Amino acid sequence: PDALDEHAGMGVRALHAGREIVVGSRRLLERLGIALDAQAEAQLAALRARGRTPVLVALDGEPLGILGLADTARASAGPAIARLAQAGVLRVVMLTGDDQRAARDVADRVGIREVHAELLPEQKLEHVHRLRAAGEHVAMLGDGINDAPALAAADTSIAMGAGGSDVAIETADIALMTDDLGKVAEAIALSRATIGNMRQNL
């Protein structure tokens, strides 16, 4: 592209060969003044009803199409959440930019009860600040650019090193070298054992 303008948590706007291409959320199209007709609204509703996160595509200010994306939970996610509970983690919260219904579907499959969806990066950050202000010790796990502000604000930050963005990895206190979420509980156990050894030595 001749120019690329990224809108954090919403999508991108590019100029290529004199044409404007927008790919992102409805929020982004609204910000850029691109209106949706009744047919597009119906397609959005249908995708959301099926638990999909809609991504809109517009060309030169006119909606062109809608993609319905859905995350598939990693096979290790459900057992990893259970292992966190066994490790003494009392509260697991999902913060995501995905559609509410799509996020709830994934959360239900892996055993997460508290979900906050359709969040921008600054809203994820606000949630972390609120939890800390309430006296919670917050460990944040993330892998993308949109997670970096919240990772930086958490008491402990963990990046998915194998598939994570460079900025998330550099921001985090701990970088997992695989996509196995079970490593989070393993890291907690290892940290506790290390602290135990330090106390014993002292």
Side-chain angles (χ1 to χ4, degrees):
D2 302 319
L4 184 65
D5 183 18
E6 182 178 342
H7 296 257
M10 291 187 285
V12 295
R13 173 181 172 269
L15 295 176
H16 179 67
R19 308 198 76 178
E20 180 191 62
I21 305 161
V22 176
V23 180
S25 66
R26 177 182 187 154
R27 190 179 289 171
L28 175 58
L29 268 68
E30 288 174 350
R31 175 179 283 188
L32 298 175
I34 301 172
L36 300 179
D37 60 19
Q39 183 180 3
E41 294 284 3
Q43 289 174 341
L44 276 175
L47 285 170
R48 288 196 171 109
R50 289 168 45 208
R52 302 290 187 265
T53 296
V55 176
L56 297 105
V57 181
L59 180 65
D60 293 332
E62 294 293 329
L64 193 64
I66 306 172
L67 306 172
L69 306 181
D71 282 332
T72 55
R74 291 184 174 98
S76 62
I81 298 300
R83 285 183 66 190
L84 286 173
Q86 292 166 1
V89 175
L90 302 178
R91 184 178 181 188
V92 176
V93 180
M94 177 189 286
L95 304 177
T96 179
D98 287 347
D99 178 79
Q100 177 69 40
R101 189 156 183 167
R104 184 74 264 173
D105 182 55
V106 171
D108 288 344
R109 277 184 273 145
V110 301
I112 297 175
R113 293 180 181 174
E114 188 174 346
V115 179
H116 301 279
E118 300 179 33
L119 301 179
L120 295 173
E122 56 268 27
Q123 292 171 316
K124 291 182 182 182
L125 175 62
E126 287 169 12
H127 276 281
V128 170
H129 283 316
R130 268 201 297 274
L131 288 168
R132 292 191 68 197
E136 304 274 7
H137 182 97
V138 178
M140 171 78 182
L141 172 66
D143 65 356
I145 293 171
N146 294 337
D147 297 323
L151 284 168
D155 295 292
T156 305
S157 52
I158 306 168
M160 299 298 293
S165 68
D166 290 343
V167 68
I169 294 168
E170 290 176 15
T171 302
D173 300 312
I174 301 167
L176 303 180
M177 300 315 293
T178 73
D179 282 336
D180 180 5
L181 293 171
K183 297 293 183 184
V184 177
E186 193 175 316
I188 292 171
L190 184 61
S191 298
R192 286 176 177 164
T194 301
I195 293 295
N197 283 346
M198 290 168 63
R199 286 177 175 155
Q200 184 178 29
N201 290 338
L202 287 169

